[in-house]
Amino acid sequence: MVFNERSLMDARDPRTGLAEVDAARRAAAAASATPMRTTVLLCLILGLGAGLMAMLEPLGVVAGIAMLGAGFVLDARTKRRRGQITDGRAVAARLGWYAATLLVPMFVGQWVIRALNWPLRGVVFGAVMAVGGFVYLRLDERYQLRRFAEGDVKPGDVT
Amino acid sequence: MIHPTFDEVIHQSTRLRICAAASVGTAVEFSLLEESLGISTSLLSKQLKVLVDAGYVSLEKRRTVGRPRTWVALTTRGRRAYEAHLAALRAIVGDDAGPG
């Protein structure tokens, strides 16, 4: 460990310093959380976009892409923190949630959707995407914020 | 492997808290630091200048779809120094296995 005489003389109680770090991390993580209403709005936009794209009509696809673009803009405007934890644990957790909330419902939903006619097909597909996306985003954010707040991150794990 | 190194620039209370808050991502918004640390704009600006001059923090003004925002990021050097300082504090209190 590297010290000099002055730093030892001037240093506050190191426990106080560590407590300040812990409190600041938790406060910053909490302040950077995406408000629930923003996530709901984002998922409604994404669900509407996905539903329009599921119509498989040129106009619907264009409108769907525009909605996805609007969702991207909303996300960029409201974000107060950049960077995600991308170590092995975080990637594994994300893949699990992605499979459970979006991939499996989409796969299973194919059998239901095939039996439906437009516009019900788009509505069901959009609803599945909106609900699945909402659950995925909330799970992911809760996980990321918990690890940031606890300082459970190594240098280089955040990209 | 982080080598515990006491850093006097970082150890000052407000600067230590700024580094801790900035560590919750690759960059955080200036107003988020003000809000979460409960400090004034002038104090935050003053302490950020010290960290910027030390090469520990970078500031970026960016217009993200409308309003301009200032983003505060720990540099690679700053993140290393912050982690090393935390390791030094933990070593002093005898808690070498604490979280990052």
Side-chain angles (χ1 to χ4, degrees):
Chain A
M1 194 179 337
V2 179
F3 289 111
N4 62 40
E5 194 178 334
R6 187 167 171 272
S7 68
L8 283 172
M9 287 166 63
D10 290 352
R12 303 184 311 287
D13 177 1
R15 287 184 197 282
T16 305
L18 288 172
E20 286 173 350
V21 165
D22 191 49
R25 254 189 333 229
R26 288 181 190 282
S32 72
T34 307
M36 175 78 84
R37 63 180 180 279
T38 304
T39 310
V40 168
L41 183 59
L42 181 64
C43 292
L44 284 175
I45 290 172
L46 294 180
L48 189 57
L52 286 167
M53 289 174 78
M55 289 165 59
L56 297 177
E57 298 287 339
L59 189 62
V61 172
V62 170
I65 291 172
M67 294 302 289
L68 297 181
F72 179 79
V73 170
L74 173 69
D75 187 48
R77 263 194 84 112
T78 53
K79 210 178 269 297
R80 301 185 75 196
R81 166 178 57 83
R82 294 205 300 242
Q84 299 283 327
I85 303 168
T86 52
D87 62 359
R89 277 194 293 153
V91 170
R94 254 187 192 164
L95 283 176
W97 295 325
Y98 184 73
T101 60
L102 289 166
L103 277 185
V104 171
M106 273 174 66
F107 182 76
V108 174
Q110 291 296 316
W111 304 104
V112 180
I113 288 170
R114 278 183 192 178
L116 300 173
N117 293 321
W118 184 90
L120 205 53
R121 180 184 297 175
V123 171
V124 170
F125 185 71
V128 167
M129 294 301 288
V131 173
F134 176 80
V135 175
Y136 172 79
L137 288 175
R138 295 309 290 185
L139 283 172
D140 185 52
E141 172 145 292
R142 195 172 68 170
Y143 176 82
Q144 295 274 333
L145 291 180
R146 180 184 59 76
R147 288 192 57 187
F148 275 130
E150 292 173 355
D152 184 13
V153 189
K154 291 195 183 88
D157 286 348
V158 184
T159 53
Chain B
M1 180 69 184
I2 298 165
H3 185 67
T5 308
F6 195 95
D7 191 307
E8 287 192 56
V9 174
I10 290 178
H11 190 63
Q12 194 273 345
S13 177
T14 305
R15 292 195 289 270
L16 180 60
R17 292 166 64 220
I18 290 171
C19 290
S23 75
V24 303
T26 53
V28 294
E29 206 183 353
F30 184 93
S31 65
L32 182 142
L33 289 180
E34 278 181 297
E35 180 187 318
S36 60
L37 302 180
I39 56 179
S40 66
T41 305
S42 58
L43 176 60
L44 179 56
S45 299
K46 183 181 167 188
Q47 298 303 338
L48 277 176
K49 186 178 183 315
V50 176
L51 290 167
V52 169
D53 289 345
Y56 289 169
V57 160
S58 65
L59 301 179
E60 180 195 2
K61 285 196 178 180
R62 186 190 284 188
R63 186 177 284 274
T64 312
V65 198
R67 64 196 173 105
R69 299 197 286 179
T70 301
W71 292 88
V72 180
L74 283 175
T75 61
T76 304
R77 183 179 164 204
R79 197 170 286 271
R80 281 196 195 122
Y82 164 69
E83 294 291 343
H85 184 72
L86 282 191
L89 293 180
R90 283 198 291 269
I92 294 170
V93 301
D95 177 24
D96 293 351

